[in-house]
Amino acid sequence: MSSTPHIEVKNLTVGYGDYILMKNISFTVNKGDIFIIMGGSGCGKSTLLHVLTGLKAPQSGKIMIDGINFTKAPEKQKKELMQRCGILYQGGALFSSMTLAENIALPLQQYTDYSEKQIEELVSLKLALVGLAGFEDFYPSEISGGMCKRAGLARALALDPEILYCDEPSAGLDPISSKLLDDLILDINKSLGTTFVIVTHELASIFTVGSNSVFLDGTSKSIKGSGAPKDLLQNPPNDVVLNFLTRGEKEHV
């Protein structure tokens, strides 16, 4: 981690028409962070991720990426910024009619000038990075849910992103597969220096991987806590954060 801002969210208001999910929220993701966006169901976690990735426009405020106003950037510059980012969607979101190799090759074919041979080598490298060496010709239906998540991560890493957004990466996984995915995120963060922004409500993952975080509160439509998850558990800023972080997980204290 460093103290250099990678993503700066400033006075952001997010919602749908007259329905406001979050109002005037601000936070900073530093380079090398594994940054957790957490909170109860319906508080706006996934919607906030859609805004951060440019899939939805905020109602007001701005998002800075490396000092550039991503929110107001021209479309060409916005696409260039997003090519420096990767996204791991819920469930992996792999194309079912394509093999794992074809799924991972797709962004390389669309956004690079690499030869077919170079793409083939990079695909094998990315699959090996997530522990799926030799699975190039498998279809998503032929592998487990945990393997699909890892294959989705390999595709998200195809263009060597500086920032990797993950939407509920552990959702639906058994505890062992979830732990393997957490370990993989830590390894990638340490070895590649990738900044992670992860939406999750899974406490085990929050405490295992999170170096920094914000807690979104749907009632007040604000941030009720920020900082390293373990620090928030040791010194909770309020009962809302404490209750969320101690749901049967007292062993983490």
Side-chain angles (χ1 to χ4, degrees):
M1 289 185 298
S2 76
S3 57
T4 304
H6 213 166
I7 305 167
E8 296 172 275
V9 173
K10 299 184 178 183
N11 301 315
L12 200 70
T13 295
V14 175
Y16 298 90
D18 294 332
Y19 181 68
I20 303 299
L21 284 164
M22 289 288 119
K23 188 173 182 179
N24 294 329
I25 62 170
S26 299
F27 59 87
T28 298
V29 180
N30 290 322
K31 289 189 176 181
D33 264 347
I34 299 181
F35 192 93
I36 305 295
I37 298 173
M38 57 183 172
S41 298
C43 70
K45 300 186 299 294
S46 292
T47 301
L48 176 57
L49 195 69
H50 293 162
V51 174
L52 291 174
T53 56
L55 295 175
K56 175 176 171 55
Q59 294 187 326
S60 63
K62 60 183 177 181
I63 299 161
M64 310 291 289
I65 298 179
D66 287 334
I68 300 170
N69 189 339
F70 175 69
T71 314
K72 297 295 185 182
E75 197 61 32
K76 183 174 184 290
Q77 187 178 35
K78 188 174 284 189
K79 287 182 178 179
E80 289 171 353
L81 285 170
M82 279 312 301
Q83 284 179 32
R84 292 158 54 186
C85 305
I87 304 175
L88 173 59
Y89 297 98
Q90 288 189 39
L94 298 171
F95 293 104
S96 60
S97 61
M98 300 169 68
T99 65
L100 299 192
E102 290 168 341
N103 267 280
I104 297 161
L106 191 59
L108 293 165
Q109 292 165 344
Q110 289 187 324
Y111 298 111
T112 74
D113 296 323
Y114 294 141
S115 67
E116 187 175 331
K117 178 64 175 176
Q118 288 173 315
I119 289 175
E120 183 180 330
E121 291 172 351
L122 282 169
V123 165
S124 294
L125 177 64
K126 301 304 179 183
L127 282 171
L129 183 64
V130 300
L132 291 175
F135 283 84
E136 285 84 352
D137 295 330
F138 281 66
Y139 286 89
S141 61
E142 298 175 324
I143 59 177
S144 69
M147 293 169 77
C148 280
K149 287 284 181 79
R150 283 188 278 148
L153 184 57
R155 185 179 61 188
L157 290 167
L159 297 175
D160 296 321
E162 300 168 15
I163 302 169
L164 192 52
Y165 297 99
C166 303
D167 191 5
E168 299 283 4
S170 301
L173 297 184
D174 63 85
I176 294 175
S177 296
S178 180
K179 176 66 165 57
L180 289 172
L181 188 60
D182 287 343
D183 290 343
L184 182 57
I185 287 170
L186 288 168
D187 287 344
I188 291 169
N189 172 256
K190 183 178 180 180
S191 60
L192 302 180
T194 307
T195 299
F196 281 83
V197 178
I198 301 175
V199 165
T200 184
H201 63 270
E202 301 283 344
L203 289 182
S205 294
I206 287 169
F207 290 116
T208 297
V209 305
S211 63
N212 202 356
S213 70
V214 289
F215 180 89
L216 304 183
D217 177 52
T219 302
S220 64
K221 305 184 188 303
S222 66
I223 292 173
K224 280 287 191 177
S226 60
K230 290 179 180 177
D231 291 343
L232 290 176
L233 181 61
Q234 295 290 347
N235 299 289
N238 49 64
D239 288 343
V240 175
V241 174
L242 177 62
N243 291 337
F244 180 87
L245 294 176
T246 56
R247 298 168 295 153
E249 294 290 331
K250 297 286 187 181
E251 68 270 18
H252 288 293
V253 177

